[in-house]
Amino acid sequence: MVSYKQDVMTKMIQFLPISGRVTEISDFTTTAGHEDSGCTKFITVTDAQGGTVNFIVSPTTYVVDQALIQIGDWVTGYFDGNAPVPLIYPPQYHALVMVKINPPQHVKVDFFNSQLVSHDGQLKINLSPFTQLLLTNGQSFTGDPANRNWIVLYSVATKSIPAQTSPYRMILLCH
């Protein structure tokens, strides 16, 4: 018998990032029909080691700051590492979140536990009165931030393990 906690853990989204330079953008065509034409983009990214990845960016993909992504931009795409993917080359992932890299802004997309530590243990959030907690539609989030999937935007962090930061904005991913 599988416990409830194990069942929840197996269904948890594992946000995996891939960063690189955008080398191509095209419309992603589906068999759904003409009404979907142009709604989904196919973004090809080449990482620093020369590897290529294709992201499917659909209307449900959250693009941080609604940034216009263009060829030549550096981006990070986050996908669900637990989701099935076709065994093709280059790999093709459905992007859950896309971030146009804009230093000195740092972005972390992950599940944050009851202590506000990321699932991978690399970042701890220290909320401040200046931290904006938002929904993807731009409205304020007023609930408990613990045990949720967040897009965390911050500028500085400690060099400790886990690194600690007081983010300026957090966007709740309600999947």
Side-chain angles (χ1 to χ4, degrees):
M1 181 171 165
V2 177
S3 74
Y4 173 74
K5 185 172 183 173
Q6 287 173 326
D7 189 47
V8 168
M9 291 302 288
T10 60
K11 293 181 181 179
M12 181 184 297
I13 295 173
Q14 180 186 12
F15 292 97
L16 295 180
I18 295 179
S19 297
R21 184 178 299 274
V22 176
T23 57
E24 187 177 335
I25 300 173
S26 61
D27 286 338
F28 182 76
T29 55
T30 65
T31 58
H34 181 68
E35 66 275 0
D36 289 11
S37 180
C39 292
T40 300
K41 297 294 181 186
F42 202 63
I43 298 180
T44 302
V45 173
T46 302
D47 67 19
Q49 292 77 36
T52 301
V53 170
N54 292 317
F55 284 109
I56 298 169
V57 179
S58 72
T60 61
T61 301
Y62 186 82
V63 179
V64 172
D65 295 329
Q66 294 184 345
L68 177 62
I69 297 172
Q70 300 177 342
I71 293 173
D73 289 341
W74 284 91
V75 299
T76 300
Y78 290 86
F79 63 97
D80 184 355
N82 294 324
V85 294
L87 293 175
I88 58 173
Y89 184 82
Q92 181 174 301
Y93 303 108
H94 287 272
L96 300 174
V97 176
M98 290 295 290
V99 180
K100 184 174 178 178
I101 297 173
N102 185 19
Q105 174 178 276
H106 299 281
V107 178
K108 175 77 170 177
V109 180
D110 208 344
F111 176 84
F112 288 82
N113 67 17
S114 61
Q115 304 300 309
L116 297 181
V117 175
S118 62
H119 184 253
D120 66 4
Q122 297 299 306
L123 186 66
K124 179 175 182 354
I125 296 170
N126 297 317
L127 294 175
S128 82
F130 304 105
T131 303
Q132 289 182 302
L133 300 178
L134 303 172
L135 301 171
T136 55
N137 63 11
Q139 301 306 300
S140 293
F141 172 76
T142 56
D144 182 2
N147 297 311
R148 297 179 182 268
N149 294 318
W150 288 99
I151 301 170
V152 179
L153 294 97
Y154 61 100
S155 57
V156 295
T158 65
K159 293 191 184 285
S160 60
I161 298 177
Q164 295 188 39
T165 189
S166 293
Y168 55 86
R169 186 169 17 137
M170 294 172 51
I171 302 152
L172 179 63
L173 292 171
C174 299
H175 288 273

